[in-house]
Amino acid sequence: MTLSDPDLRNSFFVTHKKFQDNIRTNRDISKIFINFARKIKTNETMAKPSIPKGTRDFSPVEMAKRNYIFNTIREVFHLFGFQQIETPAMENLSTLMGKYGEEGDKLLFKILNSGDFLSEATDEELASRNTLKLASKLCEKGLRYDLTVPFARFVVMHRNEISFPFKRYQIQPVWRADRPQKGRYREFYQCDADVVGSDSLLNEVELILMTDEVFHRFGIRTCIKVNNRKILSGIAEIIGEPDKIVDITVAIDKLDKIGLEKVNEELREKNISEKAIALLQPIILLQGTNREKLQTLQSVLASSEIGMKGIEELTYILDKVENANLRATFEIDLTLARGLNYYTGAIFEVKALDVQIGSITGGGRYDNLTGVFGMPGVSGVGISYGADRIFDVLNQLDLYPKDSLQTTQILFVNFGKTEEEYCIACARQLRKEGIRTEIYPEASKMKKQMGYADGKQIPYVALAGENEIAAGKITVKNMSNGEQKLLSIDELIALFK
Amino acid sequence: MTLSDPDLRNSFFVTHKKFQDNIRTNRDISKIFINFARKIKTNETMAKPSIPKGTRDFSPVEMAKRNYIFNTIREVFHLFGFQQIETPAMENLSTLMGKYGEEGDKLLFKILNSGDFLSEATDEELASRNTLKLASKLCEKGLRYDLTVPFARFVVMHRNEISFPFKRYQIQPVWRADRPQKGRYREFYQCDADVVGSDSLLNEVELILMTDEVFHRFGIRTCIKVNNRKILSGIAEIIGEPDKIVDITVAIDKLDKIGLEKVNEELREKNISEKAIALLQPIILLQGTNREKLQTLQSVLASSEIGMKGIEELTYILDKVENANLRATFEIDLTLARGLNYYTGAIFEVKALDVQIGSITGGGRYDNLTGVFGMPGVSGVGISYGADRIFDVLNQLDLYPKDSLQTTQILFVNFGKTEEEYCIACARQLRKEGIRTEIYPEASKMKKQMGYADGKQIPYVALAGENEIAAGKITVKNMSNGEQKLLSIDELIALFK
């Protein structure tokens, strides 16, 4: 804190005077300093309200960009027949707990019960300070942690109203009590599309086509990567190391960086047998076209039933995708192992080609979405778009269309009460034509009004003084090049069409 | 609960058998029953997940309608130069507490601190069970209660980035631990537009024009009512009863229903003096056009400076609004006294003319939005649209445009793998033209596929079997009249244009 604030400075001098006048014992001194510290704290609280760490305010420009992202995705979702649902921010903790592992349970934001929140806790329990146990007595609701569990709960609750296969999308914030860091927030949006109640691989194909369309609309060049959990299971089966599949994919992923020797070394360090490493060689070195990769896999995995099933699935997807002339690159990538505990078939990931950033979209097929809520047999496949990362990519590549900002198109300068009436009438006509129009609300200095137009990036300013009103016209200034023109209202409307 | 579930029934018989075998003491009996009750409870939790009371899931149809509402409002907001912001769901409790009165503090949802949430509470404090005090030790965050306080906090935090006057809108959910009842939820959306940092009455006029445009687009016939806090203060001043202004407006409001005699009686019951009641007569009986009302008020309030200021403001607004040819009825209504503790100038309210429902929109001018956060001198005027009530009005009057549902426009029936390829190619062409298209993902029975189209209200179904493929055409069935036509892809595209 600095002493630039006059009130604060004053209070310091008063305190200092008191200090000199009254200084007697150590106790006095400490009391004075404590009071002073309190004063500073109060003053700072008053002067600087803040928001919880890991959360964000979104400014008008950021919101316009976010709306552009969500609207683009939403439109493509509709084009492919997905329908939106929303679920409440708060779910019962019984719905959320135990679904995200022990670590996840800790990261749930829990909501204190209303009223006498201690009524369920005994004196002994309070005295014990067992926070895990007490949390469940004090709280019965929590904030949603992702969109998948609320979706599963939704499907079970509304099973009789839903026509399956159910193609739903959901764009809502989720909350996690993670340690905040760069790019990781405690409140962030997820944007999920899933098809549940259908095992058909056509759903996988449609999700890939949809994703291609989304990024084509954004103008982001991407590589859509695909893998299949069954192929990974087949590999594990062949080499007899079912628990090491993550270690193996992590090591293979490093081939380009560290070379074959070091990859094999790393596999050895992970206690993978020499025999298994030998069997893995064609998989580590897997390259060529997608077809060539599938051929290699076919010979390596010939004896694994599940592996061959995975190859069959991937072949079907590749057939369809090749016919569809994707704008994106499409690549079979065995190192894709996201959500391995969860996905049972296809695994997807999307990388932006022109920006160094993690995956911007991911998904896959899963079995048994709703079993945990007592409704077995509902499988599905889904994809999740990372809004925050897409936001960053579009910013870095400067790909936001100009009109996505939805800013005001023209501002009428306010010269005073006499001219106001004329401006209101003009604004009415412009708005009738869908032109976003403002009238500056007060007859402030010209510089201030122009500064306002600049601040909001308004491209045109309208000037209607005595002369313009007499002529029934408007002087229009182009804010980017300073050019001024005297126009009729019809000419002005034409300017925006 | 019923015993229709076989597992549950089985468990009942096992329990019953145990009961017969082991019955010895009362303690045994009670133990058995407690276990059985627990089993039922577990079973029910498994079978029937639920959501917290007062919260809602929104189905695809409800979401489409809500999106229509929010998109319509949003588009008009942009037309008038308002820009969107968003604030986090969680605010620091120091931001929220004390802003909504003592009752409001109790209705805040508080979020349990992460980690060791008891660390700030001493053993004595825990033992004392003082919930109010303990809540502040256990929680430092809460869910936002409205959009106004977070907006004030936003303005203070971002004062240096904002160009004033700041025209912002915000459409986000808020949470209140109110007792849930019909039409009152614990999570609901607010939809607010405010202009801050300008005292100009042109802002009031613009908000009225904007509101007129919003309801015109919805097709809802409305009456926009307006009042002015300064006129109410003037009345209180004239009759010397400054504290009775709410009692007076409530009584006047009943004139149509109970007649002048009973209104005066009610005023007497509220201890308003005979002299004051006599002075109030022209105000109680105030009628005629808006101009006539202003004239009457002008003579009654002639001696009240603040009252005359209110009349001046209202006259300015009326001048401008009369020139603007509103589609809505516009009415000066002195009984409008919403937010009387808060509003300092204009007060607005919108009533739907064709539906019996409370006000669907309201707002007004306020002083000193941000003073509580240490930034004095920021006044403003705002309006809040009641999304839930507008939803009900549009439903009751059946005013949703057909295309607002954004449902899939055509579904391709799936006849099997051979025909699939052809359907995918057709779907690609339709989607390229922006036509929302689905392919049923599996070759299920025709009845099931048609049922799916019905369930999603898809207007057209495409059939492409062997014959169609050979002819390069598609049979298209109109789902509302059953008509079938054989069309080329271009003819099909033309059908939707």
Side-chain angles (χ1 to χ4, degrees):
Chain A
M1 75 123 221
T2 64
L3 283 181
S4 58
D5 183 322
D7 285 345
L8 201 55
R9 196 164 52 216
N10 201 30
S11 128
F12 178 79
F13 290 137
V14 170
T15 311
H16 191 241
K17 178 125 203 328
K18 267 194 198 153
F19 181 73
Q20 291 183 311
D21 292 344
N22 297 326
I23 193 162
R24 273 191 209 105
T25 66
N26 276 336
R27 204 152 162 262
D28 270 348
I29 301 174
S30 104
K31 219 173 177 177
I32 288 167
F33 273 98
I34 285 168
N35 275 330
F36 184 52
R38 195 171 292 152
K39 218 160 195 166
I40 291 172
K41 209 176 160 192
T42 314
N43 187 298
E44 283 191 338
T45 311
M46 268 298 278
K48 282 194 204 156
S50 63
I51 51 177
K53 60 180 177 181
T55 69
R56 290 167 288 175
D57 282 330
F58 293 109
S59 72
V61 171
E62 286 164 333
M63 277 310 296
K65 290 178 172 179
R66 290 170 66 83
N67 283 336
Y68 165 70
I69 293 172
F70 291 131
N71 288 339
T72 303
I73 294 177
R74 188 195 310 272
E75 210 172 281
V76 178
F77 284 172
H78 289 163
L79 201 59
F80 282 76
F82 286 80
Q83 297 180 302
Q84 190 170 18
I85 67 161
E86 277 190 10
T87 61
M90 299 186 286
E91 293 277 351
N92 291 321
L93 279 175
S94 57
T95 300
L96 301 177
M97 296 286 282
K99 309 303 189 298
Y100 307 105
E102 218 172 288
E103 198 48 37
D105 281 353
K106 282 186 200 150
L107 299 183
L108 289 170
F109 280 111
K110 298 173 186 75
I111 293 160
L112 200 64
N113 291 339
S114 314
D116 181 10
F117 55 84
L118 292 176
S119 63
E120 297 281 310
T122 64
D123 288 339
E124 292 73 35
E125 284 167 337
L126 283 176
S128 79
R129 291 178 173 262
N130 178 339
T131 50
L132 206 66
K133 194 167 173 192
L134 272 170
S136 71
K137 304 267 173 166
L138 268 49
C139 304
E140 57 187 26
K141 293 181 288 294
L143 294 178
R144 74 174 153 251
Y145 180 88
D146 70 0
L147 301 179
T148 305
V149 168
F151 174 47
R153 194 264 312 140
F154 180 99
V155 169
V156 175
M157 269 180 75
H158 302 279
R159 63 217 282 181
N160 296 326
E161 306 138 42
I162 294 172
S163 20
F164 292 96
F166 184 38
K167 298 168 83 167
R168 89 83 172 80
Y169 76 91
Q170 202 169 344
I171 302 177
Q172 292 193 275
V174 302
W175 294 269
R176 297 179 184 181
D178 253 323
R179 189 173 297 279
Q181 56 187 57
K182 193 181 174 314
R184 192 200 281 167
Y185 302 101
R186 293 185 142 192
E187 173 181 72
F188 59 97
Y189 271 73
Q190 288 193 336
C191 180
D192 288 13
D194 291 78
V195 190
V196 300
S198 164
D199 293 329
S200 165
L201 290 170
L202 188 55
N203 297 305
E204 274 83 339
V205 173
E206 288 269 277
L207 287 181
I208 291 166
L209 299 183
M210 187 166 85
T211 300
D212 183 55
E213 180 67 22
V214 164
F215 289 106
H216 171 67
R217 292 194 180 197
F218 284 135
I220 299 175
R221 298 195 319 128
T222 56
C223 175
I224 301 178
K225 296 185 172 201
V226 67
N227 193 6
N228 193 299
R229 166 61 193 263
K230 295 189 177 92
I231 292 179
L232 295 179
S233 299
I235 294 171
E237 199 175 287
I238 294 292
I239 63 170
E241 302 268 16
D243 304 335
K244 297 275 163 62
I245 198 70
V246 170
D247 289 337
I248 292 169
T249 57
V250 166
I252 297 178
D253 196 26
K254 295 181 183 165
L255 181 67
D256 284 347
K257 270 195 203 144
I258 62 177
L260 181 61
E261 272 315 298
K262 295 229 164 145
V263 168
N264 287 337
E265 216 168 278
E266 187 167 321
L267 291 171
R268 260 173 229 119
E269 276 164 23
K270 297 286 179 186
N271 291 323
I272 292 166
S273 72
E274 287 302 326
K275 196 182 146 209
I277 293 175
L279 285 166
L280 275 174
Q281 295 307 297
I283 286 168
I284 298 172
L285 294 168
L286 195 71
Q287 51 185 350
T289 65
N290 290 322
R291 293 283 167 200
E292 285 162 358
K293 286 180 183 172
L294 282 176
Q295 251 166 8
T296 308
L297 284 170
Q298 208 139 18
S299 64
V300 178
L301 298 179
S303 66
S304 162
E305 194 182 328
I306 190 161
M308 291 307 283
K309 180 88 181 103
I311 291 170
E312 187 194 318
E313 291 184 9
L314 215 40
T315 305
Y316 172 88
I317 291 172
L318 187 61
D319 285 349
K320 296 286 179 272
V321 165
E322 279 186 348
N323 283 339
N325 290 317
L326 290 200
R327 275 72 53 112
T329 316
F330 185 74
E331 186 189 322
I332 294 174
D333 181 350
L334 290 192
T335 68
L336 226 66
R338 58 181 297 138
L340 208 58
N341 296 324
Y342 184 63
Y343 293 133
T344 53
I347 304 173
F348 311 119
E349 205 168 276
V350 179
K351 291 261 188 189
L353 293 182
D354 304 312
V355 172
Q356 287 286 349
I357 202 167
S359 75
I360 53 180
T361 286
R365 176 169 285 279
Y366 43 83
D367 281 341
N368 200 11
L369 175 73
T370 53
V372 71
F373 296 119
M375 182 182 176
V378 178
S379 69
V381 56
I383 196 150
S384 183
Y385 294 81
D388 286 310
R389 289 212 174 145
I390 293 171
F391 182 90
D392 289 344
V393 171
L394 291 173
N395 266 332
Q396 282 190 49
L397 301 178
D398 196 17
L399 287 175
Y400 290 99
K402 260 192 186 156
D403 64 357
S404 68
L405 284 190
Q406 294 265 324
T407 186
T408 297
Q409 292 164 285
I410 186 161
L411 171 77
F412 279 81
V413 166
N414 194 323
F415 288 109
K417 293 288 164 223
T418 331
E419 293 84 359
E420 213 173 63
E421 194 70 59
Y422 184 75
C423 294
I424 296 177
C426 291
R428 194 161 83 244
Q429 289 187 67
L430 292 173
R431 286 171 179 157
K432 216 171 161 183
E433 301 294 326
I435 297 159
R436 297 184 296 275
T437 307
E438 281 187 67
I439 307 162
Y440 196 85
E442 0 218 351
S444 308
K445 283 189 184 146
M446 188 62 103
K447 199 183 157 200
K448 192 173 175 200
Q449 300 195 40
M450 287 296 176
Y452 176 82
D454 267 341
K456 274 181 102 164
Q457 301 183 48
I458 301 176
Y460 292 96
V461 164
L463 304 144
E466 213 176 313
N467 295 339
E468 282 88 355
I469 295 173
K473 300 214 164 182
I474 302 137
T475 298
V476 179
K477 181 175 177 174
N478 179 326
M479 292 294 279
S480 62
N481 59 17
E483 225 174 76
Q484 290 197 186
K485 280 186 191 164
L486 187 69
L487 300 178
S488 70
I489 187 84
D490 288 338
E491 289 165 333
L492 180 52
I493 290 168
L495 186 70
F496 291 103
K497 294 291 164 183
Chain B
M1 76 121 215
T2 63
L3 284 181
S4 58
D5 182 322
D7 285 345
L8 199 56
R9 195 163 52 217
N10 201 30
S11 128
F12 178 77
F13 289 135
V14 170
T15 310
H16 191 241
K17 178 123 205 323
K18 268 196 197 151
F19 181 73
Q20 290 181 313
D21 293 345
N22 296 327
I23 192 161
R24 273 192 206 105
T25 65
N26 275 337
R27 206 151 162 264
D28 270 347
I29 300 174
S30 103
K31 221 172 178 177
I32 288 167
F33 272 100
I34 285 169
N35 275 332
F36 184 53
R38 197 171 292 152
K39 218 159 195 166
I40 291 171
K41 212 178 158 190
T42 314
N43 188 298
E44 282 191 340
T45 311
M46 269 296 278
K48 282 192 203 161
S50 63
I51 52 176
K53 61 180 177 182
T55 69
R56 290 166 287 177
D57 282 329
F58 293 110
S59 71
V61 171
E62 286 164 333
M63 276 310 297
K65 290 178 172 179
R66 290 170 67 84
N67 283 337
Y68 165 70
I69 293 172
F70 290 131
N71 288 340
T72 303
I73 294 176
R74 187 195 312 269
E75 209 171 283
V76 178
F77 283 172
H78 289 164
L79 201 58
F80 283 75
F82 286 80
Q83 298 180 302
Q84 190 171 17
I85 66 161
E86 276 189 12
T87 61
M90 299 187 286
E91 293 276 353
N92 291 322
L93 279 175
S94 57
T95 300
L96 301 176
M97 296 286 283
K99 309 303 189 298
Y100 307 105
E102 218 171 290
E103 198 48 38
D105 281 353
K106 282 188 200 148
L107 299 184
L108 289 171
F109 280 111
K110 299 173 185 75
I111 292 161
L112 201 64
N113 291 340
S114 314
D116 181 11
F117 55 83
L118 293 176
S119 63
E120 297 281 309
T122 64
D123 288 340
E124 292 72 37
E125 282 167 340
L126 282 177
S128 79
R129 291 178 172 262
N130 178 339
T131 50
L132 206 65
K133 195 168 173 193
L134 272 170
S136 71
K137 305 267 173 169
L138 269 49
C139 304
E140 58 186 25
K141 294 182 286 294
L143 294 178
R144 74 174 154 253
Y145 181 88
D146 70 0
L147 301 180
T148 305
V149 168
F151 174 48
R153 194 264 312 141
F154 181 99
V155 168
V156 174
M157 270 180 73
H158 302 277
R159 63 218 282 181
N160 296 324
E161 307 137 43
I162 294 173
S163 20
F164 292 96
F166 184 37
K167 298 168 83 168
R168 89 83 172 80
Y169 76 90
Q170 202 170 343
I171 302 177
Q172 291 192 274
V174 302
W175 295 269
R176 296 180 184 180
D178 252 326
R179 189 172 297 280
Q181 56 186 58
K182 192 179 173 317
R184 190 199 283 167
Y185 302 101
R186 293 185 143 194
E187 173 180 72
F188 59 98
Y189 270 73
Q190 288 193 337
C191 178
D192 287 14
D194 290 78
V195 189
V196 299
S198 164
D199 293 328
S200 165
L201 291 169
L202 187 54
N203 297 307
E204 275 83 339
V205 173
E206 289 269 278
L207 286 180
I208 291 166
L209 300 184
M210 187 167 85
T211 301
D212 183 55
E213 180 66 24
V214 165
F215 289 107
H216 172 67
R217 291 192 179 198
F218 284 135
I220 299 175
R221 298 195 318 128
T222 57
C223 176
I224 301 178
K225 297 186 171 198
V226 67
N227 192 7
N228 192 298
R229 166 60 193 263
K230 296 189 177 87
I231 292 180
L232 296 179
S233 299
I235 295 171
E237 197 174 289
I238 294 293
I239 64 172
E241 302 269 16
D243 306 335
K244 296 274 164 63
I245 198 70
V246 171
D247 290 339
I248 292 168
T249 56
V250 167
I252 296 178
D253 196 27
K254 295 182 183 164
L255 181 67
D256 284 348
K257 268 196 203 143
I258 62 176
L260 183 61
E261 272 314 299
K262 296 231 162 139
V263 168
N264 287 336
E265 215 167 279
E266 188 168 321
L267 291 171
R268 260 172 231 119
E269 277 164 22
K270 297 286 180 186
N271 291 321
I272 291 165
S273 73
E274 286 303 327
K275 198 181 145 208
I277 293 174
L279 285 166
L280 275 174
Q281 296 307 296
I283 286 168
I284 299 171
L285 293 168
L286 194 70
Q287 51 184 351
T289 64
N290 290 322
R291 294 282 168 200
E292 285 163 356
K293 286 179 185 173
L294 282 176
Q295 253 166 6
T296 308
L297 284 171
Q298 208 138 18
S299 64
V300 177
L301 298 180
S303 66
S304 162
E305 196 183 327
I306 189 161
M308 291 307 283
K309 180 85 183 103
I311 291 169
E312 188 193 319
E313 292 184 6
L314 215 41
T315 305
Y316 172 88
I317 292 172
L318 187 61
D319 286 350
K320 295 287 179 274
V321 165
E322 280 186 348
N323 283 339
N325 290 318
L326 290 200
R327 274 72 52 112
T329 316
F330 185 73
E331 189 189 320
I332 293 173
D333 181 351
L334 290 191
T335 67
L336 226 64
R338 58 181 297 139
L340 209 56
N341 296 324
Y342 185 63
Y343 293 132
T344 53
I347 304 174
F348 311 118
E349 205 167 275
V350 179
K351 290 260 188 190
L353 293 181
D354 303 313
V355 172
Q356 286 286 346
I357 202 167
S359 74
I360 53 180
T361 287
R365 177 168 283 279
Y366 45 83
D367 282 341
N368 200 12
L369 174 73
T370 53
V372 70
F373 296 119
M375 182 183 176
V378 178
S379 69
V381 56
I383 196 149
S384 183
Y385 294 81
D388 286 310
R389 288 212 175 145
I390 293 172
F391 182 90
D392 289 345
V393 171
L394 291 173
N395 266 333
Q396 282 189 50
L397 302 176
D398 196 16
L399 287 176
Y400 290 99
K402 259 192 186 157
D403 64 357
S404 68
L405 284 190
Q406 295 266 325
T407 187
T408 297
Q409 292 165 287
I410 187 162
L411 171 77
F412 279 81
V413 166
N414 193 324
F415 289 110
K417 293 289 165 221
T418 331
E419 293 84 358
E420 215 174 61
E421 194 70 58
Y422 183 75
C423 294
I424 296 176
C426 292
R428 193 159 86 244
Q429 289 188 67
L430 292 173
R431 285 170 180 159
K432 215 169 160 184
E433 300 294 328
I435 297 159
R436 296 184 296 275
T437 307
E438 281 186 67
I439 307 163
Y440 196 85
E442 0 217 351
S444 308
K445 284 189 183 144
M446 188 61 104
K447 198 181 159 201
K448 193 174 174 201
Q449 300 194 42
M450 288 296 178
Y452 177 83
D454 267 342
K456 273 181 104 164
Q457 302 184 48
I458 300 175
Y460 292 95
V461 164
L463 304 143
E466 212 176 314
N467 294 339
E468 283 88 355
I469 296 174
K473 300 215 166 182
I474 302 136
T475 297
V476 179
K477 181 174 177 175
N478 179 326
M479 292 294 278
S480 62
N481 61 18
E483 225 174 75
Q484 291 197 185
K485 279 185 192 165
L486 187 68
L487 300 178
S488 71
I489 188 83
D490 288 338
E491 289 167 334
L492 179 53
I493 289 168
L495 186 70
F496 292 102
K497 295 289 165 184

